[in-house]
């Protein structure tokens, strides 16, 4: 029997009710006449296997009347019959790979025979495939004796193959340590990709790029490389690229590519192809980006995303801000490059992530349009789930280090002794309730003077400023669900209480950290120290570590109504105070101008506002910021934000000390009225007074 006949038989046999011919015809996209013809074919097979036939019940449709034993026998027989028969999804996968990698020309009539399906079925397969490929800008065309071929940009074809393989196979095991169950899809993949090639590529990776921590990123990188190898072997080459050739800083990637070219005997690989694969696999790398193009975008989006998710979920991510910012920034930097180049990482855990961390997933999803607008491309659900992983990891650390409590007061009209008993019972049965005080009925007015959020009372209060619950003075099982419901309805009042550790243990840990660091406090040491202090409920003055604008923007760093003829001059102008005080070096100014010249006006981050900057290693000696308002506004080339009327220059020396300043700049971008007032200021004093108004609220 043909594939469709088998699927038709399965559908009818699994139904508890008759199915009409028109319903089956619509499901299989064929005529009712074809359905009746295939029912006859199915019945011939059923009779030969001594199984009940498909009956035609007048006005109701087709039905198989069978016992449980007959049903099991039919199910087993169909499983054996299906054997090598493929469903539509599997057939489409085979067609896509055969066009891309097949050794012989692909003809539809031969595929029809190979799949054991009818012409109408293969036509329907191709109709759906062509519709799916349109989103990649790819057509399937027939060139006579050459068979089927793809028509479209080679880069799009590779992206399509990458997406489809991920959808069908999930994550490929390049280590080849396991012997996975061979499914029809896996068999198809193995037809066009040699298992020995997969093993060899995994070994090359291990020898040249041993430090990649995440298997998901590693396997995506290798899959894309595998697709590239096979296409280059067939001389299906990209003719041009949409990015400028760059001097790649990571020699490991170059060594990796060189060894791949040698081991897979890829002869005469054009430089454009080397640049393409180098750039593409670099987007799967989670480390810092190697140029300044996306630096501000990644920084701003990271800070905005953290603020947004904290606001939406009420999880205090600011308590672990350094840890979260560091990991999220690195991911965001790579994500921006991937979105811009339409190559995004497949995430096999996305459904589990969405289910188990839905509040965070929902908040991240609500922020995604902002990322897409800034970057100028669509972001997949897979990438969305990776962002959630960063937040959920930190959320787990916060929950581990902190206790959620309800600050409460007990008001009792049966005497203080009874009130104290009620308070102890509440704390025993509901550890999250912290009773701050026990009051008598005559002391209700004291509630406003206490730092509490909830009231538990033994009588009806006239007081209504805070949520209150009337309960019996002696708690019983009847009260428990009522209290649980009350707490659940008021969960916005949950507070976080840090847990404390022994001071001697804290002192020992500090000594150990400093000793192991060799006396040099870097980003890692800073994070460890901060975590240690948070764990022990010890506050640190973050303003000394992360100063505000007010702390470092001094009078001699503010310039009002200055003249600049070009955007280059405006950058040189705003950098002068920092250059004069050796906060930055001359090469830092050159790097700022070079970045805009090469990558465009990405430093224009708000309406009429630019943030000139370079990377720390480009010549930033210490944290600093300066600002200038421009007398005659300057066009940088950003149609939405030009002309620039105010420009800041930021010198950042690490990935954390300037975060508070960045937050203040984000607030300024969102406050258009205040920004316009700053632009109109005529004195430094007026500028400072307005800029620092309500700072720290």
């Amino acid at each position: 029997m043909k594939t469709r006949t088998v699927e038709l038989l399965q559908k009818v046999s699994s139904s508890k009710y008759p199915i009409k011919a028109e319903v089956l015809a619509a499901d299989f996209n064929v005529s009712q006449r074809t359905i009746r013809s295939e029912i006859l074919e199915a019945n011939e097979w059923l009779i030969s296997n001594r199984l009940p036939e498909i009956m035609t019940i007048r006005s109701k449709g087709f039905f198989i009347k069978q016992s449980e034993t007959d049903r099991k026998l039919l199910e087993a027989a169909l499983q054996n019959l299906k054997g090598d028969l493929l469903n539509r999804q599997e057939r489409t996968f085979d067609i896509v790979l055969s066009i891309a990698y097949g050794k012989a020309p692909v003809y539809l009539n031969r595929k029809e025979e190979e799949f054991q399906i009818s012409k109408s079925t293969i036509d329907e397969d191709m109709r759906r495939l062509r519709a799916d490929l349109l989103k990649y800008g790819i057509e399937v065309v027939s060139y006579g004796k050459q068979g089927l071929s793809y028509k479209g940009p080679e880069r799009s074809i590779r992206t399509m193959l990458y997406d489809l393989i991920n959808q069908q196979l999930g994550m490929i095991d390049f280590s080849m340590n396991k012997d996975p169950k061979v499914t029809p899809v896996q068999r198809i993949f193995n037809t066009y990709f040699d298992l020995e090639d997969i093993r060899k590529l995994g070994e090359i990776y291990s020898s040249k790029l041993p430090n990649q921590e995440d298997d998901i990123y590693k396997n995506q990188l290798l899959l894309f490389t595998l697709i590239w190898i096979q296409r280059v072997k067939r001389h299906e080459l990209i003719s041009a690229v949409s990015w400028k050739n760059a001097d790649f800083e990571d020699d490991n990637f170059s060594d990796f590519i060189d060894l791949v070219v040698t081991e897979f005997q890829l002869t005469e690989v054009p430089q454009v192809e080397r640049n393409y694969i180098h750039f593409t696999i670099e987007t799967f790398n989670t480390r810092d980006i190697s140029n300044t193009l996306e630096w501000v975008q990644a920084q701003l989006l990271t800070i905005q995303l953290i603020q947004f998710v904290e606001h939406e979920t009420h999880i205090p991510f600011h308590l672990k801000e350094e840890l979260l910012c560091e990991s999220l920034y690195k991911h965001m930097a790579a994500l921006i490059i991937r979105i811009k180049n339409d190559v995004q990482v497949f995430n096999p855990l996305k459904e589990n992530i969405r289910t188990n961390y839905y509040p965070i997933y929902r908040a991240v999803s609500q922020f995604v349009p902002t990322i897409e607008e800034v970057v100028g491309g669509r972001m997949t659900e897979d990438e969305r789930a990776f962002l959630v992983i960063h937040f959920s990891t930190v959320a787990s650390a916060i929950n581990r280090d902190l206790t959620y409590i309800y600050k409460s007061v007990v008001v009792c009209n049966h005497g203080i002794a009874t009130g104290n008993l009620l308070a102890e019972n509440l704390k025993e049965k509901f550890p999250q309730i912290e009773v701050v005080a026990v009051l008598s009925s005559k002391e209700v007015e004291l509630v406003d003077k206490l730092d509490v959020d909830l009231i538990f009372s033994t009588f009806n209060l006239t007081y209504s400023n805070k949520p209150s619950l009337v309960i019996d003075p002696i708690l019983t099982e009847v009260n428990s669900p009522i209290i649980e419901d009350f707490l659940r309805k008021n969960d916005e009042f949950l507070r976080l209480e840090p847990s404390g550790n022994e001071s001697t243990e804290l002192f020992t840990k500090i000594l150990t950290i400093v000793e192991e660091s060799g006396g040099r406090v870097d980003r890692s040491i800073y994070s460890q120290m901060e975590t240690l202090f948070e764990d022990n409920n010890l506050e640190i003055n973050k303003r000394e570590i992360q100063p505000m604008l007010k702390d470092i923007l001094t009078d001699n760093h503010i310039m009002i109504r200055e003249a600049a003829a070009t955007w280059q001059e405006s950058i040189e102008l705003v950098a002068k105070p920092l250059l004069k005080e050796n906060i930055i070096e001359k090469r830092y100014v050159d790097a700022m101008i070079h970045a805009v010249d090469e990558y465009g006006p990405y430093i224009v981050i708000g309406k009429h506002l630019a943030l000139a900057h370079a990377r720390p290693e480009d010549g930033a000696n210490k944290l600093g910021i300066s600002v200038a308002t421009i007398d005659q506004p300057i066009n940088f080339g950003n149609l939405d934000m030009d002309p620039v009327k105010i420009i800041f220059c930021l010198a950042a020396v690490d990935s954390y000390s300037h975060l508070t300043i960045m937050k203040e700049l984000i607030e300024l971008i969102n406050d258009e009225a205040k920004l316009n007032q700053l632009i109109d200021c005529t004195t430094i004093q007026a500028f400072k007074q307005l800029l620092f108004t309500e700072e720290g609220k």
Side-chain angles (χ1 to χ4, degrees), residues 103 165 169 171-183 185-204 222-223 226 229-230 233 264:
K103 295 179 180 178
I165 292 171
L169 280 179
M171 199 161 64
I172 300 172
D173 179 21
F174 281 88
S175 66
M176 304 304 290
N177 289 329
K178 300 175 183 177
D179 183 19
K181 181 181 178 183
V182 180
T183 63
V185 169
Q186 185 71 57
R187 281 200 304 271
I188 294 169
F189 180 82
N190 293 346
T191 301
Y192 302 100
F193 292 92
D194 193 328
L195 291 176
E196 179 59 25
D197 286 349
I198 294 175
R199 184 196 61 75
K200 184 194 300 183
L201 189 56
E203 289 180 353
I204 295 173
L222 291 177
L223 172 59
L226 187 66
I229 291 168
Q230 303 292 47
K233 276 186 176 180
F264 284 90

Side-chain angles (χ1 to χ4, degrees), residues 138-304:
I138 300 169
E139 296 179 66
V140 177
V141 295
S142 177
Y143 290 113
K145 292 183 179 180
Q146 296 178 25
L148 298 180
S149 182
Y150 292 124
K151 182 181 179 182
E154 175 61 21
R155 188 170 163 217
S156 298
I157 293 170
R158 296 177 190 181
T159 300
M160 177 271 293
L161 293 168
Y162 167 80
D163 281 352
L164 188 68
I165 292 171
N166 270 321
Q167 291 169 21
Q168 295 296 324
L169 280 179
M171 199 161 64
I172 300 172
D173 179 21
F174 281 88
S175 66
M176 304 304 290
N177 289 329
K178 300 175 183 177
D179 183 19
K181 181 181 178 183
V182 180
T183 63
V185 169
Q186 185 71 57
R187 281 200 304 271
I188 294 169
F189 180 82
N190 293 346
T191 301
Y192 302 100
F193 292 92
D194 193 328
L195 291 176
E196 179 59 25
D197 286 349
I198 294 175
R199 184 196 61 75
K200 184 194 300 183
L201 189 56
E203 289 180 353
I204 295 173
Y205 177 92
S206 298
S207 67
K208 293 298 180 183
L209 302 172
N211 296 322
Q212 179 63 273
E213 298 173 357
D214 197 319
D215 279 345
I216 293 177
Y217 287 103
K218 167 190 169 183
N219 287 328
Q220 299 297 291
L221 181 156
L222 291 177
L223 172 59
F224 214 101
T225 306
L226 187 66
I227 291 169
W228 176 78
I229 291 168
Q230 303 292 47
R231 294 296 284 177
V232 170
K233 276 186 176 180
R234 291 169 62 93
H235 300 288
E236 300 286 358
L237 306 175
I238 52 177
S239 56
V241 289
S242 59
W243 63 86
K244 298 181 180 180
N245 291 345
D247 294 326
F248 298 110
E249 295 185 3
D250 196 326
D251 290 332
N252 287 333
F253 282 145
S254 297
D255 292 344
F256 170 75
I257 294 168
D258 288 342
L259 191 53
V260 166
V261 169
T262 301
E263 290 295 318
F264 284 90
Q265 299 178 356
L266 303 179
T267 57
E268 299 180 0
V269 179
Q271 187 60 44
V272 68
E273 280 287 358
R274 286 178 177 266
N275 289 345
Y276 164 81
I277 191 61
H278 196 304
F279 185 86
T280 302
I281 64 177
E282 195 170 38
T283 67
F284 294 111
N285 184 26
T286 58
R287 292 175 295 172
D288 281 330
I289 48 180
S290 58
N291 59 62
T292 58
L293 173 59
E294 287 84 15
W295 189 85
V296 159
Q297 287 183 343
Q299 292 264 334
L300 292 177
L301 287 173
T302 297
I303 294 170
Q304 290 173 316

